[in-house]
Every structure is written in structure tokens, then in C-alpha cells.
Amino acid sequence: MRVLLVGAGGVGTAITRIAARRPFFEAMVVADYDRDRATAAVDGDPRFSAERVDAGDGEAVAALLAGHRCDVLLNATDPRFVMPLFQAARTAGATYVDMAMSLSHPHPERPYEECGVKLGDAQFARAAEWERDGALALVGMGVEPGLSDVFARYAADELFDEIEEIGIRDGANLTVEGLGFAPSFSIWTTIEECLNPPVVYEADRGWFTTEPFSEPEVFEFPEGIGPVECVNVEHEEVLLVPRWVDAGRVTFKYGLGQEFVDTLKTLHRLELDRTAPVTVPSVHGPVPVSPRDVVAACLPDPATLGGRMRGKTCAGTWVRGTKDGAPREVYLYHVVDNQWSMAEYGSQAVVWQTAVNPVVALELLAAGVWSGAGVLGPEAFPARPFLDLLTAYGSPWGMREQ
């Protein structure tokens, strides 16, 4: 397997550190708009090399795939670049893997009741073309979405006869010393998913939306994290799980904390969450800038926070239904301790947890354990081989009977 990894930020760098310990690939080309950043992500392993590329330039990416004879494109950029990279992979005849999906757009008249353009719609619109050509796009293959979807498939295959509800629940007790507000993941992506209308799925209604931060609940997270208030957030699992797993209801709730929610609401009130440029005066004359990009530039890079971060992060899938005629409720989860991930890989917990899952998926694809054609989510593949290999990577998952 020859891989083009586009994006050498925190997650991309963690991917190289994890992959370097595995023998399944022949070469990995790390490409970023900042060549120095790509070079810094490359280990001494001769299988790695660095290139510069603009992720928004599909022709340049396709040329890079062809030039290095890469058969897989792994997208580790933010969701703005999903579609040009998705198309570049198709142009070059490469398998495509991402950790998020094409962006949504709220319903113009009823944003908190009806879906407009949903996450992934632009990619699923091309599914027939990919399937016809025998090509694979594995979408949403991070931790959330990704491992959380694998958990949903595992629950359907091995733990339940009938599933009433699947709820992705994400929480942490992470703190960053000396910083009052320091998101542990891309603030650009966090704003996008937290301020868009959350999507909920119900079997008798389909997909619909609610107000941001709706339906708060306190969820007890394992391994010492404890109770965290979680709220509805727009996320890919709600759009992916029902396509392959039968469930009466699917939700995604994120443990943000009141201070974080209040900060996001303030950014929204001030229109600092906007992506459309505004004109700002400068010594060189008027300059168009995106307010959201300014917010991101003012905050510390999440990849640099590991040394000041303490605590654990938990990604998981809560499932309620019946087995052998009796009610059952479980929480399938994956916890990463920041102290461990920093000591073992030099990557903070949240980016490491995101990065490990696409590497596991690549290894399964390289071995032919996972295979398929079309635009497919993690639920479309058998779950047990993934969970076994994740454990073999030294990062086991857990299950709690509720």
C-alpha cells in the first residue's frame, strides 16, 4: 500500500507516529500547504517523504497521487477540503479515506426543524459512480465519526437482537494548565459542528434538526472521568449509522461544559463564527479575512497543548435494545489518557485518539480484511476485526453494562 496523507497538523502528525510502528504499507507521502510542517511530521523511516500541496487544488493532489504511485489518499485536513480531495482521489483512481464528511448547509426557512443539505450529502450523491467503477471511499473513519460507528455495527451484530436507540456520547475531564479557553481540537471544526443545527434520526420520521445544545443530559463516563453534561451537536454518525444499522433513534451528544457553550454562543452573537470574509483595514490597504479563521489564529494550536494537558478523553456509543427477549443497555467506549499518549507517542490524547483509527482501517484495507466499492461508512464493514486490531495497537476498548 502506498498512501498520500494530506494534512500535517496534529492529527496528521499523530498518524505518521502511529503508522511508523506498523509494517503494512510500502510508502507514505505526507503533504501539506506548509512544506516545513510536512517535513516535521516525517519520521526517519525511509518509507516516509514530504511534499507541499494545496488541499484545495484537486488537480495538484491528483498529480501527486499519480507521481508517487499512491493507491490511497488519507485526508487529515479540515472539512472544507473534503470535496476537492474526494474528487482528486477519484480522478487518480485511488481509494479515499477521511475522518469527517462534506459540509452541511442549514435549511433556509426552518433550520431548527428540517434538514437542509446534510453532512455527507455531496459525497453520497456520487456513490453510484464510485460503486460502478469498483472504487472505494471510506468516509467518517476517525474516532467520532469512525470508531463510534464501528461500535454501533458491533452492537448490532453481536450484542442485540433489536436496537431501540443508539447515542454517541463524548466526554472528557481534560484541563490545560494556564489557559482559560483552549480547545483540544480544531476550533474551526468545533464551531462548525457545535453551532450548526444538530441532526437527530428517528425511524418513523427520518432525519430532522433541533436547536443547538438541545436536550442536555448528564452522562457518567468511565475510568474516572465521571459525570459530564452532554448536549446535542451536529455530527456525522447520525447521518451514517441509520444507513447500515437498524435503530429506532440515533443521536450525538457532546460533553462541552457550560463555559465552552457560553463562549461559542458569544462567538456566534458577535458573528465571529462566520466563514465568509469581511474587509479589514491594514497598512497595506483593505484585506478580506474570515472571522472564523481569525478566531482559530488567536487560539493555541491544539497539537501543541499536550505538555500542559491533564486528564482523559472518552469516545463511545451507548446502545439500548433487547437481547434474547430481555432489555439490555450497554456503553461501548475507548478512553485515552493524555499522560500515556504523550509519553508513548508525543501526541495529545484527542488528536491521538482521532489518528489511530484511520491507521487501523488502512491496515485492514491493505490486508483485504475490509474491502468494498462505493461511498461507505465504517458501519458497512465487519466490526470485530477492527476492534481486535485496535487492541493489538496497544489501545484497548471497553464495554459497560448499564
Side-chain angles (χ1 to χ4, degrees), residues 117-397:
V117 176
K118 301 188 299 301
L119 291 167
D121 274 359
Q123 291 170 286
F124 283 118
R126 305 284 297 278
E129 171 195 331
W130 284 72
E131 187 172 7
R132 180 197 67 213
D133 295 342
L136 172 63
L138 172 52
V139 298
M141 190 61 255
V143 61
E144 292 174 339
L147 177 57
S148 50
D149 304 73
V150 172
F151 283 147
R153 173 66 186 266
Y154 175 74
D157 286 351
E158 301 196 27
L159 303 180
F160 290 85
D161 297 323
E162 183 176 350
I163 294 176
E164 299 169 20
E165 186 168 358
I166 294 174
I168 314 305
R169 299 293 183 265
D170 178 304
N173 61 0
L174 294 169
T175 59
V176 180
E177 294 175 357
L179 293 174
F181 184 76
S184 58
F185 202 70
S186 161
I187 189 61
W188 199 101
T189 303
T190 301
I191 288 172
E192 181 73 17
E193 62 190 24
C194 290
L195 292 178
N196 277 349
V199 180
V200 174
Y201 173 84
E202 293 180 356
D204 58 356
R205 185 176 174 182
W207 287 293
F208 60 94
T209 57
T210 71
E211 296 271 353
F213 315 118
S214 59
E215 299 181 358
E217 67 175 60
V218 175
F219 191 84
E220 184 79 25
F221 288 92
E223 298 193 19
I225 295 174
V228 179
E229 184 176 80
C230 299
V231 293
N232 276 326
V233 168
E234 181 192 48
H235 231 250
E236 288 88 349
E237 292 95 327
V238 180
L239 288 311
L240 284 170
V241 169
R243 297 176 188 270
W244 288 279
V245 176
D246 289 332
R249 193 170 196 259
V250 183
T251 60
F252 179 96
K253 292 189 180 182
Y254 197 2
L256 295 170
Q258 193 58 50
E259 182 181 9
F260 202 103
V261 170
D262 289 343
T263 300
L264 292 175
K265 287 180 176 179
T266 299
L267 291 174
H268 181 63
R269 280 195 295 270
L270 297 174
E271 297 191 351
L272 293 174
D273 58 329
R274 291 173 51 191
T275 57
V278 296
T279 301
V280 177
S282 79
V283 294
H284 302 293
V287 178
V289 296
S290 158
R292 193 185 300 185
D293 286 342
V294 172
V295 171
C298 290
L299 290 171
D301 180 351
T304 68
L305 298 176
R308 303 168 69 177
M309 190 180 288
R310 299 290 181 271
K312 299 176 181 179
T313 185
C314 178
T317 303
W318 164 73
V319 187
R320 176 172 58 86
T322 57
K323 178 66 174 178
D324 298 328
R328 191 179 195 187
E329 188 176 334
V330 304
Y331 182 57
L332 301 156
Y333 63 87
H334 183 250
V335 171
V336 177
D337 187 319
N338 187 75
Q339 185 176 358
W340 174 84
S341 65
M342 285 297 296
E344 188 72 15
Y345 287 91
S347 296
Q348 56 104 318
V350 176
V351 299
W352 189 92
Q353 189 181 47
T354 303
V356 68
N357 295 287
V359 181
V360 171
L362 288 180
E363 185 159 347
L364 292 174
L365 292 171
V369 176
W370 276 14
S371 63
V375 178
L376 304 177
E379 303 87 346
F381 302 90
R384 172 58 74 175
F386 187 100
L387 296 175
D388 288 346
L389 189 54
L390 179 65
T391 300
Y393 272 53
S395 189
W397 56 283

Side-chain angles (χ1 to χ4, degrees), residues 10 12-21 40-41 43 48 345-348 352:
T13 299
I15 285 171
T16 66
R17 293 170 180 172
I18 296 164
R21 303 188 184 189
D43 192 85
F48 291 89
Y345 287 91
S347 296
Q348 56 104 318
W352 189 92

